[in-house]
């Protein structure tokens, strides 16, 4: 026993310290540095090419012009409005889609009859390319908020749903038996074993759902909106101002990245028990 | 304490599982079930533990309280999202789960400093210690053990056999230990049932009349070992003659 404990402690001491140590930050910094070499070269090249007139300004303006556009939108106050309306739509659609997927996914994953009843239907609906819903939703609900948010919710629903069902059905039978030894009721079994075991898969689903949510908000806002980043795209196109279009593309990218980072952070925090490559050291 | 009468659970038209098992286990006894792989030992424990309810025959347990049966599997089967202490407390009622009752059992299995570790950070032996603590904390009347040490290296295995024995000396828990390791059975058990056949039946019963703790490989145990080997050999010959 002593030797075993000892062995473990030695192993722990020998393993690299937590990422918060200076060495970890250094490595992280170096990763960012290496990763940004190419984008910086491209940006500088683009700027020079634009200034020298090699790129047509009405097609591809210089990065500084795009930056100026963003700053001017910030200064006249319109930037905040567009960003917040788009974020609200994504957030509401994401929340509704996720909740629906959790409820239906949990039932389908857990009850065999519900699976036989519902799953074929969902699989069939899923094979419709999601953007094909857009005109139908606009017909049903008009071009107001409900149709946009429903569209995003549909996009979010499927990846979350599929991952939850797969997660629940993939729970190790051996762990369920542990619950049965302690005579857990079906409710306790779900809460104490099935849901925690399905959590990694659920979070994966949420992350890909969020990605689709961003795609769908663009589609929804392109179809008809008077505010939002997608609306900016349309305005930019109609007023022949590529700087507006590229500025909103850039903002979409940044917001998408930030929201995904939030989910990734939640993932790291709630799955620190997982024995995976990212958790080593 | 536990009485089993004409117990039967078979699969594939009576070609696997076990049948005609009669056992009576006294309080505080350690019973060994020894047999080659595939003769229905795990199936027997699954039936006794209530995991498998499609059996024939009767199982009766005296002074049956609620959490009367504990089970340990060949693998630790810890819940990976729970720390060691939460894994140990897993089988307790909700109110007791957040008390420090686990501490007694954590110390008992020698994992005092590891309460906040996750299963991924434990060695095989430590994980199995955690599983022992989890099985004991509900104070089961009978503890069923399905080859609990067979996946461990020889040294860790001996340490855990000694641990199990010291727990038995403190708590006098009734145990049924399934194993295919003759030395393990002789070291720990008061009576050993030898299963053979497909489906498995009790072929012979061997009593180990020796005070515990025993010395590994002493003359008496060696003699019993030879006896058991002989019984298993006879089984082989019989099987050969049938062909
Ligand atoms: N649920 C089941 N359905 C069909 N056959 C089974 C089932 N469970 C076990 N068996 C069969 O019963 C036999 C005995 O299994 P088991 O009890 O695990 O043996 P042991 O633990 O002694 O090695 C094996 O041949 C196995 O394939
Ligand atoms: Mg077995």
């Amino acid at each position: 026993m002593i030797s075993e404990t000892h062995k473990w402690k030695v192993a722990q001491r020998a393993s690299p310290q937590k990422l918060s140590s200076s060495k970890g930050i250094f490595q992280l910094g170096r990763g960012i540095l290496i990763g940004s070499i190419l984008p910086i070269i491209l940006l500088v090249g683009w700027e020079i090419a634009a200034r020298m007139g090699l790129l047509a300004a009405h097609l591809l303006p210089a990065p500084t012009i795009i930056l100026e556009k963003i700053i001017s939108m910030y200064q006249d106050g319109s930037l905040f409005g567009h960003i917040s309306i788009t974020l609200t739509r994504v957030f509401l659609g994401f929340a509704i889609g996720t909740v629906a997927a959790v409820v239906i996914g949990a039932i389908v994953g857990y009850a065999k009859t519900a699976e036989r009843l519902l799953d074929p239907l969902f699989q069939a609906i899923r094979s419709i390319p999601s953007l094909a819903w857009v005109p139908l939703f606009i017909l049903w609900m008009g071009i107001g908020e409900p149709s946009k948010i429903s569209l995003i919710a549909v996009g979010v629903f499927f990846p979350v749903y599929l991952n939850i069902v797969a997660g629940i059905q993939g729970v190790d039978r051996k762990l369920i038996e542990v619950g049965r030894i302690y005579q857990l009721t079906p409710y306790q079994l779900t809460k104490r074993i099935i849901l925690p075991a399905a959590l990694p898969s659920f979070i994966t689903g949420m992350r890909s759902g969020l990605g689709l949510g961003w795609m769908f908000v663009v589609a929804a806002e392109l179809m008809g909106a008077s505010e939002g980043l997608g609306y900016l795209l349309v305005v930019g196109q109609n007023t022949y101002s590529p700087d507006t279009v590229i500025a909103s593309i850039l903002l979409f990218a940044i917001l998408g990245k930030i929201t995904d980072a939030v989910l990734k952070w939640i993932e790291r925090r709630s799955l620190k028990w997982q024995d995976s490559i990212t958790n080593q050291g | 304490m536990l009485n089993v009468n004409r117990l039967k659970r078979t699969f594939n038209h009576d070609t696997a599982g076990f049948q005609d098992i009669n056992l009576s286990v006294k309080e505080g006894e350690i019973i060994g079930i020894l047999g080659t792989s595939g003769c229905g030992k795990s199936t027997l424990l699954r039936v006794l533990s209530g995991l498998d309810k499609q059996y024939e025959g009767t199982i009766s347990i005296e002074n049956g309280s609620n959490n009367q049966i504990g089970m340990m599997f060949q693998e630790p089967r810890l819940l990976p999202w729970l720390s060691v202490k939460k894994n140990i407390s897993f089988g307790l009622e909700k109110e007791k789960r957040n008390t420090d009752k686990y501490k007694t059992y954590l110390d008992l299995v020698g994992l005092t400093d590891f309460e906040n570790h996750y299963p991924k950070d434990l060695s095989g032996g430590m994980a199995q210690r955690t599983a022992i603590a989890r099985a004991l904390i509900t104070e089961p009347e009978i503890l069923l053990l399905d080859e609990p040490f067979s996946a461990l290296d020889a040294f860790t295995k001996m340490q855990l056999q000694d641990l199990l024995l010291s727990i038995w000396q403190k708590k006098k828990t009734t145990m049924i230990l399934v194993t295919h390791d003759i030395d393990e059975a002789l070291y720990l058990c008061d009576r050993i049932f030898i299963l053979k056949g497909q489906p498995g039946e009790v072929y012979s019963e061997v009593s180990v009349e020796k005070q515990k703790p025993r010395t590994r490989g002493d003359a008496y145990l060696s003699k019993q070992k030879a006896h058991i080997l002989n019984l298993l050999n006879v089984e082989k010959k019989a099987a050969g003659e049938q062909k």
Side-chain angles (χ1 to χ4, degrees):
Chain A
M1 171 182 106
I2 292 165
S3 81
E4 205 184 311
T5 308
H6 180 70
K7 191 171 70 190
W8 196 90
K9 280 188 174 159
V10 170
Q12 189 197 34
R13 231 181 284 132
S15 74
Q17 288 302 304
K18 291 176 210 108
L19 208 78
S20 60
S21 73
S22 59
K23 198 179 165 198
I25 284 175
F26 176 71
Q27 273 174 350
L28 195 75
R30 208 172 61 164
I32 291 174
L33 208 68
I34 293 175
S36 43
I37 291 175
L38 212 55
I40 287 174
I41 291 176
L42 280 175
L43 269 179
V44 171
W46 176 7
E47 181 75 36
I48 293 170
R51 295 243 171 146
M52 284 167 50
L54 294 177
L55 299 170
H58 68 283
L59 294 180
L60 192 57
T64 42
I65 309 256
I66 294 163
L67 200 65
E68 271 164 26
K69 178 75 204 174
I70 294 179
I71 291 169
S72 83
M73 281 195 295
Y74 171 74
Q75 281 163 345
D76 69 18
S78 61
L79 183 69
F80 180 74
H82 291 304
I83 287 182
S84 64
I85 190 83
T86 298
L87 269 179
T88 311
R89 284 170 184 151
V90 171
F91 179 77
L92 284 177
F94 181 70
I96 294 171
T98 305
V99 169
V102 169
V103 173
I104 299 174
I107 296 170
V108 168
Y110 198 55
K112 277 273 174 315
T113 349
E115 187 189 0
R116 275 191 221 113
L117 197 68
L118 293 173
D119 206 51
L121 178 68
F122 283 132
Q123 297 295 344
I125 294 178
R126 192 172 75 101
S127 57
I128 300 170
S130 319
L131 293 182
W133 291 106
V134 176
L136 197 59
F137 277 38
I138 289 176
L139 272 181
W140 284 346
M141 293 175 261
I143 55 167
E145 293 307 306
S147 67
K148 294 190 183 63
I149 291 170
S150 318
L151 187 69
I152 297 166
V154 168
V156 172
F157 176 84
F158 283 103
V160 182
Y161 165 80
L162 292 172
N163 277 285
I164 285 189
V165 173
I168 290 176
Q169 290 178 343
V171 177
D172 193 350
R173 185 186 52 80
K174 292 178 170 178
L175 295 184
I176 292 181
E177 282 182 358
V178 171
R180 288 181 49 208
I181 288 283
Y182 292 107
Q183 287 154 4
L184 300 191
T185 62
Y187 169 72
Q188 291 170 322
L189 202 65
T190 311
K191 187 169 154 246
R192 299 186 60 200
I193 296 185
I194 296 174
L195 288 184
L199 188 66
S201 175
F202 172 52
I203 294 183
T204 308
M206 287 218 293
R207 282 181 68 185
S208 51
L210 185 67
L212 278 182
W214 279 106
M215 204 171 104
F216 277 61
V217 80
V218 176
E221 292 182 343
L222 281 180
M223 286 303 148
S226 52
E227 244 189 317
L229 292 176
Y231 164 74
L232 273 188
L233 287 173
V234 180
V235 171
Q237 186 195 355
N238 293 344
T239 58
Y240 299 101
S241 46
D243 51 344
T244 312
V245 175
I246 297 176
S248 54
I249 290 177
L250 199 67
L251 289 168
F252 268 124
I254 293 169
L255 290 178
K257 189 77 195 162
I258 292 174
T259 48
D260 186 57
V262 171
L263 278 188
K264 207 169 165 179
W265 178 79
I266 295 173
E267 183 176 27
R268 263 183 167 271
R269 291 221 37 184
S270 52
L271 300 183
K272 58 177 188 289
W273 50 267
Q274 257 193 335
D275 194 8
S276 61
I277 298 172
T278 45
N279 278 354
Q280 273 169 16
Chain B
M1 142 129 261
L2 169 75
N3 280 298
V4 169
N5 203 358
R6 298 193 62 80
L7 197 63
K8 174 177 174 181
R9 172 70 169 118
T10 53
F11 307 103
N12 305 332
H13 312 286
D14 287 358
T15 55
F18 63 85
Q19 64 185 10
D20 202 19
I21 302 273
N22 301 292
L23 290 177
S24 82
V25 181
K26 291 193 279 292
E27 201 164 342
E29 255 188 325
I30 304 184
I31 297 292
I33 310 275
L34 197 63
T36 47
S37 88
C39 69
K41 305 184 296 294
S42 296
T43 310
L44 175 61
L45 286 200
R46 291 173 61 81
V47 166
L48 291 178
S49 69
L51 284 178
D52 188 339
K53 295 199 164 71
Q54 282 153 286
Y55 59 87
E56 291 163 43
T58 55
I59 303 172
S60 62
I61 299 169
E62 277 164 35
N63 50 16
S65 56
N66 205 10
N67 267 335
Q68 42 195 332
I69 289 189
M71 174 98 167
M72 253 192 86
F73 301 92
Q74 183 171 349
E75 329 80 36
R77 300 201 185 183
L78 302 179
L79 304 174
W81 55 88
L82 297 181
S83 59
V84 165
K85 75 174 173 204
K86 295 224 165 120
N87 260 296
I88 292 177
S89 307
F90 184 81
L92 293 175
E93 301 290 321
K94 197 168 186 177
E95 311 81 57
K96 289 194 203 149
R97 225 178 285 150
N98 292 320
T99 64
D100 50 10
K101 186 172 185 195
Y102 72 88
K103 285 228 164 84
T104 322
Y105 292 86
L106 192 73
D107 295 345
L108 189 69
V109 297
L111 288 177
T112 313
D113 293 334
F114 295 92
E115 53 180 283
N116 291 319
H117 284 84
Y118 284 97
K120 71 177 167 92
D121 295 326
L122 302 178
S123 69
M126 292 164 71
Q128 206 56 309
R129 284 166 192 273
T130 310
I132 294 178
R134 178 178 69 186
L136 289 172
I137 198 169
T138 51
E139 290 165 354
E141 307 276 340
I142 301 170
L143 181 58
L144 307 175
L145 304 116
D146 190 358
E147 306 193 13
F149 310 134
S150 64
L152 303 173
D153 63 86
F155 187 60
T156 310
K157 188 180 195 166
M158 281 195 255
Q159 289 177 335
L160 289 202
Q161 288 164 353
D162 287 330
L163 172 67
L164 197 67
L165 202 58
S166 72
I167 288 168
W168 177 82
Q169 279 165 331
K170 273 184 213 149
K171 312 225 167 225
K172 291 288 183 291
T173 314
T174 312
M175 302 188 199
I176 299 183
L177 171 71
V178 160
T179 179
H180 56 227
D181 178 340
I182 302 178
D183 294 314
E184 179 171 284
L186 285 169
Y187 187 60
L188 296 171
C189 301
D190 302 305
R191 282 188 291 150
I192 301 170
F193 290 88
I194 295 169
L195 254 56
K196 69 144 210 180
Q198 308 263 1
E201 288 179 50
V202 175
Y203 175 70
S204 178
E205 185 189 327
V206 176
S207 300
V208 188
E209 315 272 353
K210 181 125 191 163
Q211 193 72 21
K212 284 173 280 191
R214 300 166 183 153
T215 320
R216 289 175 200 277
D218 85 354
Y220 175 74
L221 296 189
S222 306
K223 203 184 93 213
Q224 292 288 54
K225 184 175 181 180
H227 176 55
I228 291 172
L229 277 172
N230 200 29
L231 288 172
L232 291 169
N233 264 331
V234 168
E235 172 204 339
K236 262 186 213 153
K237 269 182 213 149
E241 277 159 20
Q242 275 170 15
K243 275 179 197 160

